[in-house]
Amino acid sequence: MKNGMKNRNVIFSNWKKLLLPVAFGVCSAGLLTLALLPVTASVAAAADTGGYHAAPSPEALFLQPAETEPDKEMVDLADTGGAPQEGELYGTVSVSGTAVACNLYYGDSKAELHAGAGTYMGAQIPGQNGVVLIGGHTSTYFRDLESAQLGADITVLTRYGEYHYKIIDMQIVEAEHFGEAQLAEMPPETLLLYSCYPFGQALLTPYRYMIYGEYVSGPSVMASTEGGT
């Protein structure tokens, strides 16, 4: 009898040694699960992709195509009388906040500048995606360029479309140091207004007052009908 009790005690002791670690592991797992419930819920919520767009990887950021501007309105000069010819009146130019507002001719000879502002034929006309160079006498039509301010609007109204430019810079330059090379370095669609300096001079001077306009709006001239060259 005593031997039987002793054997049962040994067996129980052995099971006890086996069950205690198992029971402890189960309890620990349960407690860990309870502790992690809030974290699990948060992770689950974050993993819900409904209405969510994943951010691109750093590599993908550098592979994104560049944003393109909306397509501009296109105009065919043939529908509006063709490209302007030398000496032709083809629009007007004005500067907000100043008294500058006059006719615009194609060409910048004495005849054009006597009648209004003149467009340099070695550059472009508005809408050709190039630099537009417009001059006027400081003693007449461009006398009030000195009142122009940064951010002001330059409006060029042509028979084929209306163009707006924002003044971004104003400089005094030496005429002999400004030419084709400087024009070639400027961004496409830049508008330059220029006049002799100091203001009010009736005679040609060695200095020019330059106003730089950044393109804001206006239609593009169809390549097949580009004129003014």
Side-chain angles (χ1 to χ4, degrees), residues 91-153:
T92 61
V93 58
S94 61
V95 181
S96 66
T98 76
V100 175
C102 62
N103 288 334
L104 178 62
Y105 293 84
Y106 186 61
D108 57 358
S109 70
K110 289 182 179 180
E112 287 86 53
L113 295 180
H114 179 73
T119 307
Y120 174 56
M121 294 191 299
Q124 304 293 320
I125 59 174
Q128 285 187 315
N129 196 38
V131 178
V132 181
L133 186 58
I134 297 176
H137 284 316
T138 185
S139 59
T140 55
Y141 301 103
F142 275 12
R143 175 63 182 85
D144 202 35
L145 275 186
E146 63 179 333
S147 299
Q149 300 292 323
L150 292 175
D153 173 74

Side-chain angles (χ1 to χ4, degrees), residues 34-48:
L34 290 175
L36 290 177
L37 278 177
V39 177
T40 304
S42 297
V43 172
D48 182 6

Side-chain angles (χ1 to χ4, degrees), residues 7 27 50 62 82 92 119 135 145-146 155 196-197 199 203 228:
N7 290 337
C27 291
F62 292 98
T92 61
T119 307
L145 275 186
E146 63 179 333
T155 301
C196 285
Y197 184 85
F199 292 108
L203 300 177

